[in-house]
Amino acid sequence: MEGEGELLDLSHLSEAEQTSILEVLLRDSDLRCLDEGRVRTLQQKEADPVRLRLLSGAWFHEERTKRYRDTKDGVDIVQASIRGRKPRTDLSVSGVFKWQTEDAPPTNNNDPSSQIEDKKEEDDKRSNRSPLTARPRPKPRSPNPQDTDSVSSVVTEADLMPLRPGISISTLSLQSNYTLSGSMMSLFSSGEFGAVEVKGRVLFSLDYDTQREKLQVRVCRCEGLAAAHKNHSDPYAKAYLLPDKSSHSKKKTTVKKKTLNPVFDQTLKYKMSVSEVRGRTLNLSVWHAAPLGRNLFLGEVELELAHWDWTHTDPDWYQLQPRLQCSPESISSRGNIRLSIKFTPAGSEGGGLPPSGELHIWLRQAQGLLSTKGGAIDSFVKSYVLPDAGRLSGQKTRMVKRSISPIYNHSMVYEGFQPADLREACAELTVWHREGIKTYLLGGVRLSPGTGLSYGAAVCWMDSTEEEVTMWTSMILNPNHWIDTTLPIRTNLANRQK
């Protein structure tokens, strides 16, 4: 803005009116980002410049510029007015559209930024609801693992394995299945980071109550935080149990005003089972609460809980880390899948039954499904026994809605196998995420000998990992026995549809 006379006097506005203005500015920013993405897509696909000018709306912007050449944009006027009313050294209101959006816990129930973010989360939930879909048509046969012996049983509940406390992960390794170069939270975040230098540390402890099945995160205090505004900050801590980034996973402390060494002494509690905890990563971040505008990131700590030593309940210091952006393509796995397989040779049950060899696949549960947006998803599993990739070979489970650890408990049976066929075949299981009318592949597993060959021909889908080969081989060597395991849902499956 060049002239102060063009600024608006906003000093008379109430807190609710300020909230309404901020909400409109945020909505305007989101719409602009969406339109810019649409235009970029058109520029890549449309070769005709005349048609591109028409479809992208460039002609409209040109005409508007000619007609209103000396008129300031309304959004710019409001932003400049707020800057002029309340100057800040940390982040101007124009930064509302530059830095990461965050929601501060209110010091009272009327905090405008918290209300806006909560409303956005509710809108996201409504937009992600999927319509009812037709039930799948597999050939189910309820397996009973008690009928035969189980060679291994990894899927049963195990005691929590100890892990030396005090290890934080900026370069994240979530269980054995997530391997990221950067922060897991950055997968679900938009915008940029770095408005405030990250420094300082946080003191907190973890405790799991086995009787009540509660995880307790006791946030004690922070030291040496970065100053976000006039040599101080208004910090608060927030926790997520990733990959769930929904409101059910979000817990926050209260805001501590004008301090770089806040004492919170608050306990954040999560009600969940041991198996659920093992599939999660704790993300504890510290933020500066801005009364009007976007809250500023002050640092974070991420801890995988797969093998945490729950006998260690004393608080430990953790250095706050910057949030490093990582690409979704860097994820080697998007969760775990628990399953059992069994091969029943022809006539092995007596009386000539079964008439031909049968391959049984029992899909029990997925754990810690990591979607592109985070949070609970609608998922199902497809199966094929390759090299038969036809419709008759394809089966799928029912869809389990709004869960990151869905229980499928679904059996699939494939008939007509001889023992020799198993050394040429591959059981492909893929996990899918449905969003609206579209479905997206998360990843899968391939159970096979992993030789790269099928009936003498080279095939790309015989690319099983060592764990997958071990399970398939155990099934062949132990007919009529359930082979149980938990495998990572890997994202590097070779594309067989070429």
Side-chain angles (χ1 to χ4, degrees), residues 223-383:
E223 281 187 357
L225 296 179
H229 179 61
K230 294 183 178 178
N231 298 322
H232 72 264
S233 293
D234 297 338
Y236 70 96
K238 184 174 65 167
Y240 282 102
L241 288 184
L242 302 177
D244 186 1
K245 196 180 176 289
S246 67
S247 58
H248 299 290
S249 175
K250 178 176 65 177
K251 308 289 183 183
K252 297 180 286 187
T253 68
T254 57
V255 176
K256 301 300 179 180
K257 293 287 188 177
K258 297 183 179 180
T259 177
L260 301 181
N261 302 289
V263 177
F264 299 109
D265 198 21
Q266 290 181 251
T267 300
L268 311 178
K269 299 179 180 180
Y270 294 90
K271 174 72 173 177
M272 62 177 53
S273 65
V274 168
S275 59
E276 276 282 289
V277 171
R278 284 206 304 265
R280 301 297 185 95
T281 291
L282 172 67
N283 176 277
L284 184 67
S285 55
V286 182
W287 296 80
H288 163 71
L292 183 61
R294 295 198 171 188
N295 303 321
L296 303 182
F297 177 76
L298 300 180
E300 70 179 357
V301 173
E302 285 189 352
L303 296 176
E304 61 171 310
L305 305 179
H307 306 294
W308 184 257
D309 181 8
W310 299 106
T311 62
H312 179 81
T313 58
D314 295 330
D316 289 307
W317 285 103
Y318 298 85
Q319 195 71 26
L320 291 172
Q321 303 292 333
R323 182 166 294 178
L324 303 177
Q325 296 291 339
C326 64
S327 169
E329 288 74 21
S330 66
I331 306 173
S332 62
S333 174
R334 288 190 175 271
N336 287 331
I337 188 165
R338 302 168 61 184
L339 71 150
S340 303
I341 58 174
K342 177 179 71 170
F343 176 64
T344 304
S348 60
E349 296 180 354
L353 297 177
S356 63
E358 294 179 345
L359 173 62
H360 297 251
I361 302 175
W362 183 9
L363 292 168
R364 302 192 181 198
Q365 180 185 17
Q367 295 176 325
L369 292 183
L370 177 60
S371 67
T372 55
K373 296 181 179 179
I377 62 173
D378 301 341
S379 66
F380 62 93
V381 180
K382 287 183 181 180
S383 75

